[in-house]
Amino acid sequence: MVATQETIDKVNEVSSTYKYGFVTDLESEKAPLGLSEDIVKFISNKKQEPKWLLEWRLKAYKKWLSMEVPNWAMVDFPEINFQDIYYYSAPKTKPKLNSLDEVDPELLKTYDKLGIPIKEQEVLAGVAVDYVFDSVSVVTTFREKLAKEGIIFCPISEAVQTYPDLVKKYLGTVIPIGDNYYAALNSAVFTDGSFVYIPKGVKCPMELSTYFRINEQNSGQFERTLIIAEDNTYVSYLEGCTAPQRDENQLHAAVVELVAMNNAEIKYSTVQNWYPGDKDGKGGIYNFVTKRGNCLGKKSKISWTQVETGSAITWKYPSCVLKGDDSVGEFYSVAVANNAQQADTGTKMIHIGKNTKSTIISKGISAGMAQNTYRGQVQIQKSAKGSRNFTQCDSLLIGDKCGAHTVPYINQFTPQARVEHEATTSKISEDQLFYCLQRGLDTEQATSLIVNGFCKEVMKELPMEFAVEAQKLIGISLEGSVG
Amino acid sequence: MSLLEIKNAKLKLNDKDILKGLSLSVNKGEVHAIMGPNGSGKSTLSYMLAGRGGYDLESGEILLDGQSLLEMEADERARSGLFLAFQYPVELPGVGGMSFLREAVNSRRKFLGKEELDHLAFVKEARKVASKMFVKDEMLKRAVNVGFSGGEKKRFEILQMAMLKPKISILDETDSGLDVDALKIVSDGVNAERNDDNAIVVITHYQRLLDYIVPDFVHILSDGNIIKTGGPELALEVEKNGYAGLINAA
Ligand SMILES: Nc1ncnc2c1ncn2[C@@H]1O[C@H](COP(=O)(O)OP(=O)(O)OP(=O)(O)O)[C@@H](O)[C@H]1O
Ligand SMILES: [Mg+2]
């Protein structure tokens, strides 16, 4: 079970930060409020970055200044004051509590339901843990195993120092600095994230999970991830956590770039469970993410799987640019929006190479007063002869105050391609609920079962242990929405 | 004390009187058959007993083992040992039969204070019961009732009954849509569950079923009331002469 593994990892993570006095050293460091050229320089300087990266950031900053907040998504929120945000603060922003008694009981209830052991709950909730830890470091063994294969998996800030040529070669090649407002912002101020490099011919022997990355908790609100898979490789990357984590930053604007060479396959799975705000929509994370993968090589494949249950606002379109002939792009998504949550999510599949193939399966679940939009673009360029796309968007409504919207854009510039789009909207029926209740399941179990049934095609794309947790999570996210 | 006691049950649907003061008493170890014309209220009676939303009694009482059911939600009634085999079983897309069964069985076990079955133990048990009902393993892997034939759905209902071991089972037209062989299999399945501690109420239109599941009592339900009660011979009479004579006499 993942939970126990997680415990060990988290615990190791914490123990190592304690060992190096990491927390106390960095705690006090914070850049002044707001964003300016000086702040960008401050961040770059803090990270002792090479000159090229500082210049890159500054270029992004200038670009960002000239851009406007996008307003085409079906989400509604008060204007963000970008001068009222700290762009560099101490890595540890979690308040330290003395015991679980000080933790929000609602949070604890959720932990219990997810079956997270007490010790792990303490770590997650930010309780100052002072157990004597086992000296065997799982993280170290893990890293050694990867190193033997020549795989690089480290914080991107570390990669900038250790593998500057690789980072320089690929950073911003998939998502240029001026791609969109939030990507430009991220490029100017990103603090950390993951860097993965899979050398030619290597199949990564294990799932790369952010849990294993030391300093994970410190990536902050502007996370930047870069994954490069050379010829004939395979890697599966897991992002996120089913357990709700505290976070004081309201705005998150991450950027993830993937590059797949000939015959390389990247599988990127996300479970997103950030604070959604309360029932009336107060608080909650704004999650404005840009994720894109370039299938550069022939027969390369990139597959995005996401389970989005958290955040007050989700604005996210993991995409694939299918340049290599015969390359494959996939997008499997479950987006749950309850109460006052708003989700506008989907994908872009850009077919450029010959015989490229893409599959989009999107399952949107709306409950409460939530609005859930699927927005997807399929573009078949003139060169993409023999290409195919299949899109299926299903929406499930729970209650009658919520909404589901499907906005597909299809641009086909060659007749020699096939694009299929199917969409359905359904409700959980009284009959279905009663049938489950009659077998002794309570309303919440029944809802969770029916909803998970609805999402099955997507859930089966998740790595096994992740899927089990994600299933419980979906149930929990919808609690109280029926009955 | 009877296992199930219905006293003077009155129920309206959309302002229309459907059950009009119905009383019925079922003891442990008994099998009761309910017959009656279309629209007489048989399914309504079963929904009412099972606690379906919107099927609340206007007046009257129902007791299971001396305990009132009226304050209990549908799921509590089910966990307490009331089972309804649906006339029209409901499809649950994407919900695997095995996991559905397991959640149901474990809810009941938890209620009874028994340990929940782990995955392996459960699968073993489910396969055993399924093979007795001639339900293929493959069917348990499929989504509940999705794409099942009419007869398969009914078989799956009785399979669930056999797994849940209820105190009282109400089988609403479980025989409809079954071929001759399936009728025998399903009846054998039901009979295998009969014992001195439980009871079964079968709702049916066909006397033929009662050759297999032999009832202690046969009730004729007409226009929201039981108008006549007798032994198995009453079913033969209905088969021969229809309901008209019985209704006129009442
Ligand atoms: N929601 C409703 N509003 C009004 N009348 C209803 C409603 N539901 C059912 N009825 C009526 O209640 C009566 C009893 O229906 P019920 O389904 O219980 O009959 P039944 O005896 O099971 O019939 P069958 O043998 O055809 O299965 C019918 O006249 C039906 O039309
Ligand atoms: Mg009926």
Side-chain angles (χ1 to χ4, degrees):
Chain A
M1 183 70 208
V2 158
T4 40
Q5 188 60 51
E6 261 166 43
T7 315
I8 303 167
D9 306 331
K10 278 280 177 192
V11 156
N12 274 296
E13 214 171 276
V14 170
S15 70
S16 56
T17 53
Y18 271 99
K19 197 157 61 202
Y20 300 114
F22 187 66
V23 181
T24 35
D25 278 348
L26 290 183
E27 197 95 74
S28 57
E29 299 191 31
K30 209 171 203 178
L33 199 61
L35 186 52
S36 65
E37 224 176 88
D38 283 345
I39 297 288
V40 175
K41 284 180 185 157
F42 176 93
I43 295 169
S44 187
N45 189 37
K46 266 277 160 236
K47 303 195 151 280
Q48 300 179 316
E49 284 173 355
K51 201 157 165 266
W52 67 265
L53 189 50
L54 172 62
E55 275 161 13
W56 191 83
R57 284 178 182 275
L58 287 171
K59 216 168 111 193
Y61 172 68
K62 290 207 181 86
K63 185 84 200 169
W64 177 74
L65 283 179
S66 73
M67 296 173 88
E68 302 229 351
V69 179
N71 59 4
W72 42 262
M74 209 177 289
V75 292
D76 189 22
F77 56 95
E79 202 175 312
I80 298 169
N81 180 357
F82 288 93
Q83 295 305 336
D84 194 28
I85 291 172
Y86 288 102
Y87 290 87
Y88 186 89
S89 58
K92 277 257 177 280
T93 52
K94 292 187 182 189
K96 277 289 167 210
L97 309 172
N98 293 316
S99 81
L100 278 179
D101 298 339
E102 295 173 30
V103 177
D104 179 359
E106 282 302 311
L107 194 64
L108 292 182
K109 254 203 258 168
T110 311
Y111 286 164
D112 277 340
K113 283 177 187 155
L114 283 166
I116 297 170
I118 292 282
K119 288 194 179 181
E120 191 178 343
Q121 291 188 12
E122 291 182 328
V123 178
L124 288 168
V127 173
V129 199
D130 57 2
Y131 306 120
V132 181
F133 295 123
D134 199 331
S135 59
V136 181
S137 168
V138 179
V139 177
T140 309
T141 357
F142 183 79
R143 281 194 146 192
E144 277 168 4
K145 211 163 156 186
L146 292 178
K148 230 189 318 182
E149 304 274 359
I151 294 169
I152 304 169
F153 178 36
C154 65
I156 198 163
S157 58
E158 193 181 312
V160 167
Q161 306 298 337
T162 328
Y163 313 100
D165 296 343
L166 273 177
V167 178
K168 194 173 174 184
K169 185 168 170 197
Y170 291 104
L171 189 73
T173 57
V174 185
I175 302 171
I177 51 175
D179 185 81
N180 69 68
Y181 189 82
Y182 300 109
L185 178 64
N186 174 290
S187 303
V189 302
F190 75 86
T191 33
D192 219 332
S194 294
F195 178 78
V196 177
Y197 180 80
I198 314 286
K200 269 186 186 153
V202 173
K203 312 266 181 244
C204 185
M206 60 201 38
E207 314 269 357
L208 296 183
S209 158
T210 40
Y211 290 128
F212 286 104
R213 215 191 57 220
I214 301 180
N215 289 346
E216 159 57 18
Q217 286 160 313
N218 312 333
S219 318
Q221 62 208 97
F222 301 104
E223 191 165 351
R224 183 105 200 174
T225 291
L226 177 58
I227 300 178
I228 300 142
E230 293 283 12
D231 291 353
N232 304 312
T233 52
Y234 171 81
V235 61
S236 166
Y237 184 89
L238 311 182
E239 172 199 78
C241 176
T242 51
Q245 298 222 36
R246 288 161 171 275
D247 196 321
E248 289 164 350
N249 303 309
Q250 185 162 43
L251 174 68
H252 279 237
V255 168
V256 175
E257 298 180 283
L258 312 182
V259 180
M261 303 305 188
N262 290 321
N263 214 17
E265 178 176 351
I266 304 176
K267 192 172 162 54
Y268 194 104
S269 313
T270 306
V271 169
Q272 187 265 111
N273 185 26
W274 283 326
Y275 183 53
D278 66 14
K279 273 196 160 39
D280 306 313
K282 249 179 66 192
I285 304 283
Y286 294 173
N287 190 21
F288 302 125
V289 195
T290 309
K291 290 182 170 177
R292 195 174 304 150
N294 270 355
C295 281
L296 285 183
K298 277 187 185 158
K299 292 197 170 153
S300 55
K301 177 173 173 183
I302 288 179
S303 144
W304 300 100
T305 305
Q306 60 174 27
V307 175
E308 304 279 323
T309 64
S311 298
I313 297 175
T314 301
W315 181 98
K316 181 179 173 190
Y317 316 90
S319 306
C320 298
V321 181
L322 304 171
K323 283 195 184 130
D325 290 348
D326 299 297
S327 60
V328 176
E330 292 174 339
F331 175 72
Y332 299 99
S333 168
V334 170
V336 179
N338 193 5
N339 297 320
Q341 281 178 281
Q342 306 173 62
D344 193 304
T345 182
T347 183
K348 268 194 233 176
M349 293 289 173
I350 313 293
H351 293 252
I352 301 170
K354 281 195 210 60
N355 301 317
T356 48
K357 219 175 105 184
S358 64
T359 305
I360 300 172
I361 310 279
S362 158
K363 305 278 180 175
I365 298 137
S366 327
M369 305 172 295
Q371 294 299 323
N372 204 333
T373 303
Y374 166 80
R375 188 182 302 278
Q377 183 184 22
V378 176
Q379 194 186 96
I380 312 265
Q381 298 194 355
K382 212 170 162 142
S383 50
K385 304 211 180 338
S387 292
R388 276 180 296 157
N389 160 265
F390 174 73
T391 300
Q392 185 178 326
C393 296
D394 298 319
S395 307
L396 185 69
L397 301 172
I398 302 175
D400 47 19
K401 292 196 195 70
C402 53
H405 318 275
T406 302
V407 191
Y409 305 88
I410 298 168
N411 316 105
Q412 190 174 341
F413 300 105
T414 168
Q416 294 170 52
R418 203 167 79 215
V419 177
E420 286 174 78
H421 180 96
E422 288 176 11
T424 66
T425 301
S426 53
K427 281 193 160 206
I428 293 188
S429 75
E430 284 291 320
D431 283 345
Q432 288 176 324
L433 270 180
F434 176 59
Y435 189 75
C436 295
L437 294 184
Q438 210 303 302
R439 298 305 186 243
L441 311 188
D442 62 34
T443 310
E444 268 153 16
Q445 271 178 300
T447 312
S448 170
L449 207 65
I450 295 169
V451 170
N452 275 301
F454 170 78
C455 304
K456 190 163 193 177
E457 285 159 280
V458 173
M459 302 304 267
K460 73 176 186 349
E461 295 298 325
L462 285 176
M464 186 58 181
E465 307 88 333
F466 225 36
V468 172
E469 296 198 348
Q471 246 176 33
K472 286 194 214 161
L473 179 62
I474 288 175
I476 290 168
S477 315
L478 288 170
E479 268 178 14
S481 59
V482 174
Chain B
M1 183 180 63
S2 344
L3 179 61
L4 177 70
E5 183 82 50
I6 306 170
K7 288 187 202 158
N8 202 18
K10 290 190 183 157
L11 180 147
K12 276 194 206 310
L13 293 174
N14 281 325
D15 285 332
K16 193 178 150 204
D17 292 315
I18 311 286
L19 300 181
K20 304 178 179 172
L22 183 146
S23 297
L24 177 68
S25 170
V26 178
N27 293 311
K28 286 184 178 169
E30 292 177 350
V31 172
H32 290 236
I34 296 180
M35 302 181 83
N38 293 131
S40 55
K42 303 181 298 296
S43 293
T44 305
L45 172 65
S46 65
Y47 286 152
M48 182 277 288
L49 287 171
R52 183 172 190 149
Y55 287 73
D56 304 317
L57 282 187
E58 200 186 346
S59 64
E61 235 185 303
I62 356 166
L63 304 170
L64 179 63
D65 250 348
Q67 205 187 356
S68 171
L69 289 184
L70 294 182
E71 299 307 311
M72 290 159 82
E73 298 292 335
D75 53 327
E76 295 175 84
R77 297 186 193 191
R79 290 192 291 270
S80 317
L82 185 144
F83 179 85
L84 169 62
F86 284 59
Q87 182 174 0
Y88 305 109
V90 181
E91 297 188 359
L92 302 176
V95 179
M98 202 59 109
S99 32
F100 179 71
L101 272 174
R102 194 175 63 187
E103 290 219 28
V105 166
N106 281 335
S107 304
R108 172 102 171 103
R109 290 181 70 94
K110 215 155 107 189
F111 173 86
L112 294 173
K114 291 189 192 164
E115 219 175 296
E116 293 185 29
L117 289 178
D118 67 37
H119 184 69
L120 273 180
F122 177 80
V123 168
K124 226 174 119 185
E125 173 71 14
R127 290 214 169 119
K128 205 173 82 194
V129 177
S131 75
K132 272 196 222 150
M133 305 281 311
F134 296 94
V135 168
K136 289 192 213 90
D137 280 4
E138 180 259 342
M139 216 164 97
L140 295 178
K141 288 187 192 134
R142 283 162 61 182
V144 175
N145 292 323
V146 177
F148 287 16
S149 74
E152 284 170 342
K153 284 182 184 168
K154 297 301 175 75
R155 238 187 264 197
F156 190 60
E157 293 292 288
I158 301 307
L159 169 76
Q160 294 178 62
M161 170 187 162
M163 295 289 303
L164 290 167
K165 307 238 171 286
K167 283 198 235 170
I168 180 113
S169 305
I170 300 142
L171 314 183
D172 191 356
E173 294 197 27
T174 299
D175 54 335
S176 304
L178 291 181
D179 65 41
V180 194
D181 299 327
L183 182 68
K184 170 112 178 54
I185 291 164
V186 165
S187 303
D188 287 347
V190 172
N191 286 327
E193 295 307 310
R194 287 177 70 165
N195 63 41
D196 291 341
D197 277 324
N198 64 17
I200 298 167
V201 176
V202 292
I203 294 171
T204 182
H205 286 296
Y206 306 106
Q207 191 279 330
R208 195 185 46 181
L209 174 70
L210 306 181
D211 287 338
Y212 293 106
I213 305 174
V214 181
D216 300 292
F217 300 94
V218 175
H219 308 279
I220 308 298
L221 182 63
S222 167
D223 194 22
N225 246 318
I226 290 176
I227 56 163
K228 186 159 182 167
T229 294
E233 74 288 346
L234 187 54
L236 288 166
E237 193 188 327
V238 168
E239 179 94 336
K240 217 165 104 197
N241 304 322
Y243 293 111
L246 291 168
I247 292 170
N248 289 336

